[in-house]
Amino acid sequence: MKFAVISFPGSNCDYDMYYAIKDILKEPVEMVSCDTESLDGFDAVLIPGGFSYGDYLRSGAIAKFAKVMPALIKFANLGKPVLGVCNGFQILTEVGLLPGSLQNNRDMQFISEYEPLIVQNNKTIFTNEYEKAESIMIPIAHGEGNYYCNETELESLKQNHQIIFTYENNPNGSVSNIAGITNKNGNVMGMMPHPERAVEKILGSEDGVRLFTSILKSFKGGILVE
Amino acid sequence: MYLAKIFVTHKKSILDPQGEAIKNALHRLDYEAVENVSQGKYFETTLNCDSEDKAKQITDSICDSLLANPNMETYRFEIEKVGD
């Protein structure tokens, strides 16, 4: 299974993502510039955290117009897995691949902590290796991770089981404690916590590993969306 | 040439953490009269086009596509003629 990590000017978790695939999942992975115009040949695309284009204007707002975006939208519309973490989540909402948006944390502080998350939906290509309602430890590191969507969108997220991870102790003010969601089709996921930073004991948690093994398992089982 | 003055603000229905933080600071400075603070963004763009209608149309489109996030923000703008 071949992974692409899209690197933007200002991405700073791109190599964490790269090594999580290369050294832990042990699958082929390529660092791809955001100026690339094709994602042909890849089976999954990972959008890493950081501060793309300095987060000028709004997080993810400028990245929306990167050259790779038409290819990314095409890739997502084919039903292939796309995972956006942190700034990657913010970018996916700006592009419109995921509903809602991320705004400043409730208490206006950048938070860098391990946070317990609850797996709300384990029937996705990203979470099938977790137990439902399992509590996992994944670090967050963001100043703008306060998820917001209006009530109609929230209702629709709930109805379609698109809320995948929630915070146990909502650190940032997110609506309904939301930490991660998918699109309706279930093949695009965005989350603020960093699974790629929780893949080795020495990092403090290995709970992120199963997110990547879930993607691999779904791919090998020929399941795009359960 | 036209000058567009664009104001992007947080939708009133959504908690504005920046505005709240500023309000709390003002209260600490004893500005008890301050009831609410909303922080927004201000842009000036000069537009090389030949009618005010065209300038309005471009500005609307700029705001919708980039300057404002319709989920959380609203915008308004003023257009004035500048130069010759």
Side-chain angles (χ1 to χ4, degrees):
Chain A
M1 180 174 195
K2 195 171 173 194
F3 289 78
V5 176
I6 300 181
S7 180
F8 296 87
S11 292
N12 63 11
C13 302
D14 38 359
Y15 275 95
D16 301 58
M17 200 70 105
Y18 180 86
Y19 287 115
I21 303 302
K22 182 173 168 280
D23 294 345
I24 308 297
L25 200 62
K26 300 191 192 310
E27 288 292 315
V29 54
E30 229 176 79
M31 194 65 88
V32 170
S33 154
C34 62
D35 292 331
T36 311
E37 289 180 24
S38 163
L39 291 167
D40 293 350
F42 291 105
D43 302 306
V45 172
L46 308 170
I47 308 174
F51 300 86
S52 54
Y53 301 93
D55 272 355
Y56 292 159
L57 192 59
R58 289 184 309 278
S59 326
I62 312 280
K64 177 181 173 182
F65 299 101
K67 275 189 194 161
V68 73
M69 281 305 154
L72 178 72
I73 291 166
K74 188 178 144 203
F75 189 90
N77 289 340
L78 288 171
K80 295 186 181 184
V82 175
L83 170 68
V85 168
C86 201
N87 195 224
F89 185 11
Q90 294 162 340
I91 293 170
L92 290 174
T93 62
E94 281 286 339
V95 180
L97 285 172
L98 291 172
S101 30
L102 285 310
Q103 66 158 333
N104 286 298
N105 291 348
R106 180 188 47 214
D107 300 327
M108 288 302 293
Q109 279 173 332
F110 188 98
I111 310 170
S112 178
E113 294 284 352
Y114 266 91
E115 283 290 334
L117 306 181
I118 302 165
V119 180
Q120 295 292 345
N121 181 351
N122 68 341
K123 292 190 163 53
T124 77
I125 57 172
F126 304 98
T127 53
N128 53 64
E129 293 268 273
Y130 295 106
E131 300 295 324
K132 187 169 164 62
E134 184 180 347
S135 175
I136 58 173
M137 289 300 282
I138 306 281
I140 61 166
H142 61 244
E144 294 174 39
N146 179 353
Y147 182 78
Y148 171 80
C149 64
N150 66 34
E151 280 179 22
T152 324
E153 284 167 328
L154 181 62
E155 202 43 49
S156 152
L157 287 177
K158 287 179 179 167
Q159 292 278 324
N160 298 307
H161 310 288
Q162 289 169 254
I163 300 172
I164 310 305
F165 295 116
T166 53
Y167 298 108
E168 262 184 55
N169 325 299
N170 195 341
N172 54 24
S174 292
V175 160
S176 274
N177 306 323
I178 286 174
I181 57 167
T182 62
N183 63 349
K184 239 179 211 163
N185 198 29
N187 68 303
V188 178
M189 179 155 92
M191 61 191 291
M192 290 310 297
H194 288 270
E196 80 283 5
R197 292 191 191 177
V199 293
E200 285 175 282
K201 264 205 187 105
I202 197 170
L203 296 173
S205 167
E206 296 177 299
D207 287 348
V209 174
R210 280 177 289 158
L211 194 145
F212 299 104
T213 54
S214 293
I215 302 175
L216 185 62
K217 189 179 153 193
S218 306
F219 179 77
K220 294 216 156 144
I223 309 159
L224 275 182
V225 182
E226 275 191 43
Chain B
M1 292 276 273
Y2 289 86
L3 172 68
K5 296 179 172 177
I6 304 164
F7 304 84
V8 175
T9 49
H10 229 71
K11 277 184 184 166
K12 286 206 166 45
S13 53
I14 306 172
L15 176 73
D16 172 2
Q18 296 185 89
E20 283 295 305
I22 297 165
K23 183 178 83 179
N24 292 339
L26 291 172
H27 285 171
R28 281 199 297 278
L29 291 170
D30 290 332
Y31 291 104
E32 293 296 334
V34 176
E35 285 230 335
N36 201 25
V37 179
S38 160
Q39 183 182 333
K41 297 179 183 126
Y42 173 68
F43 305 88
E44 287 189 352
T45 57
T46 50
L47 302 165
N48 190 357
C49 59
D50 42 20
S51 75
E52 191 171 326
D53 275 352
K54 185 73 190 161
K56 279 184 182 165
Q57 193 194 326
I58 294 170
T59 307
D60 239 336
S61 169
I62 289 173
C63 290
D64 285 333
S65 61
L66 181 61
L67 297 189
N69 177 328
N71 281 319
M72 298 185 295
E73 296 169 327
T74 53
Y75 64 86
R76 66 182 176 83
F77 56 81
E78 297 158 6
I79 304 275
E80 56 189 70
K81 203 168 189 329
V82 290
D84 0 293

